[in-house]
């Protein structure tokens, strides 16, 4: 292959590789930024949900504390009223009211919790609220004004009530495929907005001060997940891209093969020209040599003269055959070849061909076997074309035989076919080449054939002729043992 072609190939290949790399990189980047965006959006959503829960808790605290304050402002703290309050605000559990001296005002008779000692004076003075952590329980501590001075209210939380009244209410209405869950301090699931089954946790966000130990988590069901969507799209792109690359690769391969064929064809053609010229030259120089000798009158006896005339005739016949081959071949190539097909007997054709080869056969001491079946029907043929085909087969048998020189010509009927076979005991053809020898310009590149010149169109012509007659040609051969070519022609008026 030429340098320019190799360069062109290299360029296409390089462009493809660059395209592949660019495509891959940008796809990756796109995927990464899409995932990032998705994570950011998810985080925003979860943060918002966390804020909502926090607000709900704070609001509940606000409400309950103000109603508690009303009770505390009453001149006498009524236990029943406080019991009633507790029933009204089930989110809170274990209400304890303590005065500044550390006496438990409610529930009456209870010992002051250890927590009280941790309340600094400033808190008593300033009032307000804070969330304290007792173990993993959140306790709301608030100093509220009471009838007899400030009162410290400690409010525990009922987790079940929080789940039911706060989490379910705020997170339950979530739309879309995502699932929100709340995890406790140990990371266990406290609440899920919907069964999560095989959903995977995408991210978690902490609550604010009101729920210091819990976290909100976002779960994505498999497949429906937005990041899954990104992945699917990326996969789709990737597949399309891979397909594109495959198409380019196939195109390259196809072009490469085409170019190789073309190069091969060009080589075969130039061989063909060289071979044909050589083939033309040999008989021409023989004719000229013998002609000149005869012209000069240098041949004394009649027998030798006859022999020389015969050589000239034989060589001109060979020349004619060769030129016919080339002309027919070019006509076939140009689609201009016409055959005049009609019913004809086979035997005369065979004998005419043998007659033409009588001299070279005798000269090279070929043993000839001819077996034409007696009841052979007429076949549909153009006798000139069939003669040419057979001449090519016989010529090959002669050309490609070395020590064992035996030519067999047989003709018999096989169903609706007449088969004419030309067999030799020559050098034979390797099995791998049997199909290719019928290709135009194809010659087996072996040392044995190197010496024998040929155009490489003979068998291509035979094949074309056979097929133009509605028949076919096939070859059987064993290297070193010989070859047998069978020409099938349709019986005239065949059944
Ligand atoms: P060529 O002009 O080279 O003989 P053909 O088309 O007639 O061209 O044959 C193609 C090739 O097939 C030959 O080059 C030869 O290698 C091989 N071939 C044809 N006939 C025979 C045969 N009878 N024995 C061995 N090889 C053969």
């Amino acid at each position: 292959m030429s340098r320019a072609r190799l360069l062109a190939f290299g360029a296409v290949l390089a462009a493809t590789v660059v395209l592949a790399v660019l495509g891959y990189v940008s796809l990756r980047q796109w995927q990464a930024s899409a995932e990032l965006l998705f994570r950011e959006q998810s985080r925003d959503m979860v943060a918002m949900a966390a804020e909502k829960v926090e607000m709900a808790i704070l609001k509940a605290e606000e409400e309950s504390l103000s109603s508690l304050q009303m009770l505390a402002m009453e001149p006498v703290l009524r236990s029943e009223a406080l019991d009633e309050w507790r029933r009204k605000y089930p989110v809170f559990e274990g209400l304890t009211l303590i005065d500044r001296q550390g006496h438990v005002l409610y529930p009456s008779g209870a010992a002051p919790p250890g927590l009280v000692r941790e309340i600094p004076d400033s808190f008593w003075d300033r009032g307000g609220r804070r969330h304290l952590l007792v173990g993993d329980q959140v306790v709301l501590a608030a100093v509220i004004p009471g009838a007899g001075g400030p009162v410290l209210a400690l409010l525990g939380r009922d987790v079940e009530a929080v789940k039911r009244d706060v989490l379910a209410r705020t997170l339950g209405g979530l739309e879309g495929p995502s699932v929100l869950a709340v995890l406790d301090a140990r990371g266990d699931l406290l609440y899920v907005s919907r069964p999560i089954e095989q959903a995977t946790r995408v991210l978690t966000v902490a609550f604010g001060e009101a729920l210091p130990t819990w976290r909100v988590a976002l779960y994505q069901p498999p497949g429906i997940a937005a990041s899954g969507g990104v992945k699917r799209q990326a996969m789709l792109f990737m597949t399309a891209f891979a397909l594109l690359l495959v198409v380019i690769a196939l195109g390259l391969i196809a072009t490469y093969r085409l170019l190789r064929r073309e190069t091969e064809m060009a080589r075969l053609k130039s061989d063909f020209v060289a071979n044909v010229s050589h083939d033309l030259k040999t008989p021409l120089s023989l004719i000229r040599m013998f002609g000149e000798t005869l012209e000069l009158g240098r041949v004394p006896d009649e027998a030798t003269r006859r022999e020389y005339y015969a050589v000239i005739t034989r060589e001109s016949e060979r020349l004619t055959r060769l030129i016919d081959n080339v002309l027919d071949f070019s006509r076939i190539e140009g689609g201009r070849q016409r055959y005049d097909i009609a019913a004809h007997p086979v035997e005369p054709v065979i004998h005419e061909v043998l007659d033409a080869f009588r001299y070279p056969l005798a000269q090279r001491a070929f043993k000839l076997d001819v077996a034409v079946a007696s009841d052979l029907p007429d076949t549909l043929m153009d006798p000139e074309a069939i003669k040419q085909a057979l001449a090519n087969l016989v010529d090959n048998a002669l050309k490609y035989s070395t020590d064992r020189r035996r030519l067999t010509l047989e003709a018999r009927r096989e169903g609706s076919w007449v088969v004419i076979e030309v067999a030799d005991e020559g050098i034979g053809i390797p099995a791998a080449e049997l199909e290719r020898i019928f290709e135009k310009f194809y010659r087996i590149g072996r040392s044995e054939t190197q010496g024998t010149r040929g155009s490489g169109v003979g068998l291509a012509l035979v094949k074309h002729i056979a097929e133009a007659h509605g028949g076919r040609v096939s070859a059987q051969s064993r290297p070193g043992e010989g070859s047998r070519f069978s020409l099938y022609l349709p019986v005239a008026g065949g059944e």
Side-chain angles (χ1 to χ4, degrees):
M1 194 153 311
S2 73
R3 254 181 105 86
R5 278 174 179 182
L6 274 178
L7 263 164
F9 258 105
V12 174
L13 209 68
T16 313
V17 170
V18 169
L19 188 70
V21 170
L22 275 182
Y24 183 76
V25 169
S26 49
L27 200 63
R28 273 280 127 135
Q29 263 174 12
W30 171 74
Q31 196 181 349
S33 56
E35 265 166 25
L36 194 73
L37 184 73
F38 164 72
R39 279 192 83 80
E40 272 171 10
Q41 283 174 346
S42 307
R43 186 167 291 282
D44 284 354
M45 186 187 91
V46 177
M48 238 151 78
E51 208 166 306
K52 253 169 89 179
V53 171
E54 177 105 2
M55 297 289 285
I57 291 265
L58 291 177
K59 194 166 152 243
E61 286 177 357
E62 180 74 43
E63 269 179 33
S64 54
L65 277 179
S66 58
S67 89
L68 194 61
Q69 200 170 319
M70 307 254 279
L71 296 179
M73 290 298 273
E74 284 179 18
V76 188
L77 210 56
R78 288 179 301 122
S79 271
E80 320 82 72
L82 287 167
D83 292 343
E84 177 65 23
W85 178 91
R86 285 180 60 186
R87 271 194 294 282
K88 199 172 158 203
Y89 298 101
V91 168
F92 301 102
E93 176 193 49
L95 168 70
T96 313
L97 296 177
I98 299 161
D99 67 12
R100 180 108 197 215
Q101 288 70 44
H103 299 130
V104 175
L105 305 176
Y106 179 89
S108 48
L115 201 63
V116 179
R117 269 174 269 122
E118 290 168 32
I119 307 291
D121 274 349
S122 58
F123 187 52
W124 279 105
D125 298 337
R126 268 194 285 110
R129 280 168 234 173
R130 75 173 51 166
H131 293 96
L132 304 172
L133 212 54
V134 183
D136 58 359
Q137 291 286 334
V138 183
V139 174
L140 173 69
V143 173
I144 50 172
V151 175
L152 175 70
L154 296 173
L155 280 76
R157 266 191 209 145
D158 180 345
V159 175
E160 285 310 313
V162 171
K163 274 199 234 175
R164 192 181 57 236
D165 294 345
V166 181
L167 298 183
R169 270 189 208 154
T170 35
L171 303 181
L174 182 76
E175 308 227 323
S178 313
V179 183
L180 281 179
V182 176
L183 311 174
D184 67 10
R186 286 192 304 275
D188 292 340
L189 276 178
L190 267 178
Y191 166 82
V192 276
S193 64
R194 189 169 331 158
I196 42 180
E197 279 145 20
Q198 293 160 33
T200 45
R201 192 193 294 176
V202 182
L203 50 89
T204 61
V205 168
F207 285 106
E209 186 230 356
L211 289 159
T213 56
W214 293 1
R215 278 168 304 148
V216 201
L218 178 73
Y219 282 80
Q220 293 289 357
I224 310 166
S227 69
V230 170
K231 279 212 182 81
R232 257 202 317 283
Q233 268 192 33
M235 275 304 281
L236 205 77
F237 273 14
M238 215 81 118
T239 316
F241 204 69
L243 226 69
L244 182 77
L245 288 185
V246 167
V247 168
I248 293 180
L250 285 180
L252 273 179
I253 292 172
T255 317
Y256 176 76
R257 290 177 72 151
L258 211 75
L259 279 180
R260 233 187 34 189
R261 265 188 88 97
E262 226 175 57
T263 319
E264 157 116 339
M265 203 34 94
R267 189 182 59 76
L268 287 174
K269 271 184 187 162
S270 81
D271 282 1
F272 166 74
V273 173
N275 289 335
V276 168
S277 319
H278 184 274
D279 266 12
L280 290 175
K281 246 163 130 179
T282 320
L284 268 180
S285 52
L286 278 173
I287 291 169
R288 188 167 161 192
M289 190 177 81
F290 283 94
E292 276 173 3
T293 315
L294 286 168
E295 194 182 24
L296 292 173
R298 294 233 186 95
V299 192
D301 62 302
E302 183 60 22
T304 319
R305 262 203 299 278
R306 277 186 183 287
E307 199 187 310
Y308 282 17
Y309 290 134
V311 169
I312 290 174
T313 319
R314 188 189 78 224
E315 290 304 317
S316 30
E317 271 168 4
R318 204 176 137 195
L319 211 54
T320 314
R321 256 200 326 272
L322 212 96
I323 292 169
D324 279 351
N325 257 4
V326 174
L327 286 181
D328 283 358
F329 178 74
S330 90
R331 247 180 256 141
I332 287 170
E333 285 287 280
R336 282 172 282 115
Q337 180 68 306
R338 296 272 170 276
Y339 297 105
D340 191 2
I341 295 173
H344 289 280
V346 177
E347 198 160 359
V349 171
I350 292 177
H351 285 295
E352 247 179 86
V353 173
L354 281 176
D355 270 352
F357 282 92
R358 206 163 19 98
Y359 184 82
L361 281 169
Q363 200 199 22
R364 294 188 55 202
F366 258 82
K367 195 169 176 316
L368 181 64
D369 292 319
V370 184
V372 180
S374 53
D375 58 343
L376 215 53
D378 285 0
T379 65
L380 289 175
M381 64 162 136
D382 177 340
E384 287 312 310
I386 297 303
K387 267 188 249 171
Q388 195 188 2
L390 286 179
N392 272 314
L393 293 178
V394 172
D395 194 33
N396 279 350
L398 283 162
K399 274 202 297 194
Y400 303 111
S401 290
T402 46
D403 332 324
R404 280 172 302 137
R405 301 189 197 120
R406 188 189 195 108
L407 176 73
T408 310
L409 251 152
E410 286 172 2
R412 60 171 187 280
R413 183 180 183 152
E414 266 182 29
S416 55
W417 301 102
V418 167
V419 191
I420 308 171
E421 291 192 327
V422 179
D424 62 52
E425 293 183 3
I427 59 172
I429 302 157
E433 313 263 15
L434 269 179
E435 279 306 309
R436 297 211 63 190
I437 53 172
F438 293 102
E439 290 173 17
K440 60 184 177 189
F441 306 133
Y442 192 80
R443 307 194 71 226
I444 300 174
R446 279 179 315 187
S447 51
E448 296 100 293
T449 38
Q450 290 309 308
T452 350
R453 285 289 183 149
S455 55
V457 298
L459 288 181
L461 212 64
V462 175
K463 184 169 182 221
H464 186 270
I465 292 171
E467 285 169 1
H469 282 73
R472 66 194 155 89
V473 61
S474 66
Q476 290 165 286
S477 184
R478 273 170 191 274
E481 288 181 28
S483 316
R484 175 176 290 265
F485 286 84
S486 311
L487 184 65
Y488 289 77
L489 296 174
V491 167
E495 52 257 38

